[in-house]
Amino acid sequence: MLHIVSQYLRESALQYPGHPAFADNRITLTYMDALTEAEKIAFYMVSQGLFKKPVAVMMDKCARTVTAFLGIAMSGNYYSVIDDKMPQNRIEKILDTLEPELILIDKKNRKKAESLPGNKVIYEDLMEQVLTARDRQRVADAESRIIDTDILYVLFTSGSTGVPKGVIITHRSVIDYTEWVGETFGLNHNTVIGSQAPFYFDNSVLDIYSTIRNGGMLHVIPPMFYAFPIRLLEYIRDHKINTIFWVPTVLSRVADLNLLDKCDIDCLNRVLFAGEVMPARQLNMWIKRLPDATFANLYGPTEITVDCTYYIVDREIKDNESVPIGHACMNTDILVLNEKNELVGVNEKGELCVRGSSLSLGYYNNPEKTADAFVQNPLNKLYHELIYRTGDMVHYNERGEIIYDGRKDSQVKHTGHRIELGEIEMAVSAHPSVSSNCCLHEQVKDQLVLFYVGDIEENEIRKYLAEIVPEYMLPNICHKLMQMPLNLNGKIDRVKLKEQL
């Protein structure tokens, strides 16, 4: 019975040894190549006596970084990604929390890693090892000791206090999620995924493990291509990528630049998205260009292993409508609870809570934050059962689909009225001249401030909104930007925008 992720790699290497597994703009690794390199990483960990220990990975986003993750997992240890573009202060805070036994780096990051505490080893040096049959047996022996509830990775997200929170995810949770993805979207040996998400962002988990589970191929698209959207589409065309799982900001930018008809991307037959709200107007532009493709809106915080709900677009959605986040994923239960911890009815808002195998073990070395978010199921009085409180507000529509309403902490009180900032943002997104927007509340002056990018003047935005939303929801100030600031995950950087208030 398959119960750890390295078995995905071993099975695919057995079935498809010469098939390309991971590629970037420099190299292509076959499944046998990937297995060989992963075993070298694993052997080094085993030879150092490391088991169930944290290992930080500070490498460029490339094909070999994937084999580094798999090698660490194969050795019975768990990995955490450090990006060299992260601010030094953030890197230090992550390492203070993680206290890794080892930092695995590539030659390119050797200089930056010099100032970091702890032992370091260079990936390229480990590749010079020549493993014997006995060495491989030692790796296999370590691998046999891993169980499905052992940690696979710790992914650090932004904490409200400025201290990153390390979300702990197990082999079982990733396998539970990966099996659902493969079955739901029909992934197979011919699947070619184009990876957009940074490896420290949980969307990349789908890219990596869905690839090796199905014996498919993963193209690690170089980050520089995202600065030139037409080259991004050309990359899809040239490498015959048929599946993408991207953040809506990237998809929206491509649509708003009117590039979809300028490149033959008919090879794409699955367009999945998650991480933030997908504006219906830009989604419809993609659907018009690829009418035969499957489009799906996936939703979920890092704490539940990437996604817990999904909606496969199966009907026309108007430009000013919300795209549903749909229904629970396989083997996942969604509880939408009101302030009395009761299940909500149709069109009644509540907090989305999750139970199931997808749940994280909590936050690394942070029992207080863990206790706040992972709590006893209030509907279960008979035995211990944890749920995760997402902090996201949702409701069920008449079709029984879940509609995302915004963050619990994004509901603000303005001029005496309770307002969902996401409702304003959705209304603005429907305007054909607006490519992106973000609405914030300035508490001291009690003002709604709208930041937007688009070919429309500020007074026209207010006139347009006045026909859609109540007067008390009209922004007091509208700021037109040349471009929206994005964070490292490619999502709108609300922190930077708040600095402009």
Side-chain angles (χ1 to χ4, degrees):
M1 181 182 71
L2 187 147
H3 65 285
I4 57 174
V5 299
S6 55
Q7 291 173 316
Y8 280 147
L9 177 60
R10 289 195 181 278
E11 289 191 7
S12 289
L14 186 64
Q15 282 189 274
Y16 313 109
H19 188 272
F22 315 123
D24 53 38
N25 59 335
R26 296 190 299 269
I27 63 163
T28 297
L29 299 175
T30 67
Y31 272 97
M32 189 52 67
D33 292 334
L35 177 60
T36 299
E37 296 200 5
E39 285 184 323
K40 289 181 179 182
I41 298 291
F43 175 71
Y44 179 80
M45 304 291 166
V46 171
S47 69
Q48 298 301 303
L50 300 181
F51 188 73
K52 298 180 73 171
K53 300 293 184 182
V55 177
V57 178
M58 190 174 179
M59 297 174 62
D60 275 3
K61 184 187 177 187
C62 64
R64 286 207 154 98
T65 311
V66 180
T67 63
F69 300 157
L70 296 172
I72 294 166
M74 186 179 289
S75 70
N77 297 289
Y78 48 96
Y79 63 88
S80 191
V81 183
I82 304 291
D83 189 87
D84 68 314
K85 297 176 185 61
M86 289 177 178
Q88 186 73 12
N89 180 258
R90 180 177 174 83
I91 293 176
E92 291 171 0
K93 286 179 178 178
I94 289 174
L95 295 179
D96 284 346
T97 301
L98 187 68
E99 296 182 330
E101 294 288 325
L102 193 71
I103 303 177
L104 180 61
I105 63 174
D106 52 17
K107 286 184 176 178
K108 185 176 177 182
N109 282 294
R110 179 173 8 195
K111 188 167 185 181
K112 180 155 190 176
E114 283 177 358
S115 62
L116 302 178
N119 298 322
K120 303 168 195 73
V121 63
I122 298 173
Y123 185 99
E124 289 88 346
D125 291 348
L126 298 186
M127 292 304 103
E128 295 178 6
Q129 299 175 108
V130 178
L131 302 190
T132 65
R134 185 179 177 184
D135 297 335
R136 290 191 174 87
Q137 186 58 51
R138 287 184 65 187
V139 171
D141 290 344
E143 197 175 8
S144 69
R145 296 165 55 201
I146 309 169
I147 64 172
D148 65 348
T149 53
D150 283 338
I151 304 174
L152 173 59
Y153 62 80
V154 178
L155 194 154
F156 282 83
T157 63
S158 297
S160 57
T161 61
V163 178
K165 295 184 296 185
V167 180
I168 308 167
I169 301 296
T170 66
H171 288 257
R172 179 175 70 179
S173 295
V174 169
I175 289 174
D176 181 68
Y177 174 72
T178 303
E179 291 298 311
W180 168 77
V181 172
E183 292 178 21
T184 302
F185 298 106
L187 307 187
N188 55 40
H189 173 56
N190 298 312
T191 297
V192 182
I193 298 177
S195 170
Q196 172 265 321
F199 288 150
Y200 54 79
F201 184 29
D202 64 345
N203 280 13
S204 66
V205 171
L206 182 149
D207 298 336
I208 294 169
Y209 295 103
S210 292
T211 295
I212 60 174
R213 182 253 190 191
N214 299 288
M217 182 179 184
L218 176 65
H219 274 280
V220 182
I221 303 175
M224 62 183 176
F225 281 84
Y226 293 94
F228 306 96
I230 188 63
R231 292 184 63 191
L232 187 58
L233 297 183
E234 290 169 350
Y235 195 101
I236 289 173
R237 176 199 65 196
D238 295 345
H239 295 90
K240 296 180 172 56
I241 291 169
N242 55 37
T243 304
I244 58 175
F245 181 39
W246 292 358
V247 292
T249 296
V250 175
L251 295 173
S252 296
R253 187 176 180 214
V254 170
D256 285 325
L257 290 172
N258 296 314
L259 297 175
L260 288 171
D261 291 322
K262 300 204 178 344
C263 187
D264 180 6
I265 53 170
D266 290 342
C267 54
L268 266 182
N269 54 40
R270 300 178 196 88
V271 179
L272 316 180
F273 41 91
E276 56 189 347
V277 173
M278 180 72 204
R281 183 172 63 83
Q282 286 93 335
L283 172 59
N284 286 331
M285 294 166 73
W286 275 88
I287 292 174
K288 182 180 178 182
R289 174 62 182 84
L290 298 169
D292 297 323
T294 295
F295 288 83
N297 187 20
L298 280 62
Y299 158 87
T302 305
E303 287 84 347
I304 53 76
T305 316
V306 193
D307 300 299
C308 57
T309 75
Y310 72 110
Y311 170 68
I312 296 176
V313 181
D314 59 357
R315 67 176 187 277
E316 181 182 354
I317 297 176
K318 296 178 182 177
D319 286 356
N320 60 355
E321 281 187 80
S322 291
V323 181
I325 60 172
H327 306 276
C329 300
M330 177 184 71
N331 199 36
T332 298
D333 191 25
I334 300 299
L335 310 174
V336 182
L337 304 176
N338 62 22
E339 292 181 354
K340 296 179 181 179
N341 281 328
E342 300 167 334
L343 294 173
V344 302
V346 174
N347 288 322
E348 180 187 354
K349 291 183 181 180
E351 182 181 5
L352 190 150
C353 303
V354 190
R355 72 183 187 97
S357 295
S358 63
L359 260 61
S360 161
L361 295 184
Y363 301 115
Y364 199 84
N365 197 19
N366 197 335
E368 294 82 10
K369 287 285 186 185
T370 299
D372 287 342
F374 298 85
V375 301
Q376 171 64 25
N377 180 358
L379 304 182
N380 185 349
K381 308 295 184 184
L382 301 177
Y383 54 87
H384 181 64
E385 180 187 46
L386 291 181
I387 62 170
Y388 173 68
R389 304 196 75 115
T390 66
D392 288 331
M393 301 300 289
V394 300
H395 71 272
Y396 288 99
N397 64 14
E398 289 79 3
R399 297 171 182 263
E401 300 160 340
I402 301 172
I403 304 295
Y404 178 80
D405 293 311
R407 289 288 300 163
K408 196 174 182 180
D409 52 19
S410 73
Q411 186 184 77
V412 300
K413 196 164 187 179
H414 172 61
T415 63
H417 299 274
R418 290 213 170 272
I419 295 172
E420 293 284 357
L421 297 177
E423 192 173 341
I424 301 171
E425 293 169 349
M426 186 184 74
V428 176
S429 294
H431 195 288
S433 297
V434 176
S435 59
S436 62
N437 77 94
C438 177
C439 190
L440 300 176
H441 180 236
E442 204 288 310
Q443 291 182 332
V444 176
K445 297 179 181 178
D446 190 19
Q447 290 181 329
L448 296 175
V449 183
L450 177 72
F451 296 90
Y452 73 96
V453 176
D455 188 20
I456 181 174
E457 294 309 311
E458 297 166 12
N459 62 325
E460 293 176 7
I461 281 277
R462 283 180 57 85
K463 288 180 183 178
Y464 164 73
L465 283 175
E467 299 178 4
I468 304 173
V469 301
E471 185 176 356
Y472 64 81
M473 292 180 66
L474 291 176
N476 302 97
I477 301 172
C478 295
H479 285 304
K480 183 177 180 179
L481 305 176
M482 292 298 293
Q483 62 182 26
M484 193 67 70
L486 304 179
N487 62 23
L488 293 171
N489 293 342
K491 299 192 283 188
I492 292 174
D493 194 332
R494 294 175 183 267
V495 174
K496 280 199 174 169
L497 289 176
K498 284 179 180 178
E499 294 172 357
Q500 300 181 39
L501 292 180

